[in-house]
Amino acid sequence: MKKIYVYLQYPKLIFADIMYHRYKTDEIDADILTFLPKSKKELIKNKKTYALNYLLLTNVAFRNVFYFRMPKEGYLRIIGRILIPPAEWIEIGPNGGSIKGGLRLLHKASVVIAPHDAGKNFTVAQGATIGSNLGSNGKIGAPVIGDNVFVGANAVVVGNITIGDNVVIGAGSIVTKSIPSNCVVVGNPARIIKRNE
C-alpha cells in the first residue's frame, strides 16, 4: 500500500528531485542521513533520491531543511514549495546565516533557527528559538554555534554569543552569554552544570 502511495505522489516530487540533483551539496546529503530513521538507512546506500523522496513525503520538518539548502529563488523552488509545502511553523535561516550538514529537528513543532553560523550535527528540539537579540552594547547579533550541539525543548539562545563544540543546552534554558566547548548548561539564566573534558 505504501508503494502505491509513493507512486501516486511521484509527480509532486519531480521538481524537488530536479532541485536536489542540480544543487546537491554535502550538507543536504548529511541532513538526509540525519533525518532518515535507522530502519531506512539501507535506502541511502545507492538510492539517495529515493531516501530524499521518502523524507519529503513523510517528514514535514525535513522539507524546511531541504528548502533552506536550496537556492532562495527560481521557478523550481516556487513550484516545489507549492506541490510539497514546508511547515509554516518552522523557520530556518531568515537572516542568511549558514548551517553545516547534519541539521536535525527532533519534532515537527514550532522552532526558529536563525544563527549567524552553526556547525555540523546541530540538533534542535521543539519550541526552541535561536536568533538575534539587541545586546547591551546596542548591537544586534546572532549566535555562532559549534559542532555537535543539542538545543533542548523551549530553550532560547539569543545574542551575539558563541556556543562551543559538543554543548548540550537543556530544555527551557535561556542562553544570552557565550558557552565554552564540552559543557552541559541549564536554567534561566543558563549556567554550566557539567564539563566534559
Side-chain angles (χ1 to χ4, degrees), residues 93-131:
N95 65 356
S98 68
I99 302 172
K100 292 184 181 169
L103 173 62
R104 182 161 189 222
L105 308 179
L106 289 183
H107 303 282
K108 301 165 195 143
S110 179
V111 293
V112 176
I113 304 171
H116 184 273
D117 288 306
K120 61 185 177 187
N121 302 322
F122 181 35
T123 303
V124 182
Q126 73 273 15
T129 299
I130 298 136

Side-chain angles (χ1 to χ4, degrees), residues 30-41:
D31 296 335
I32 290 170
L33 274 175
T34 302
F35 271 90
L36 209 58
K38 288 180 182 175
S39 63
K40 301 288 183 183
K41 292 287 185 191

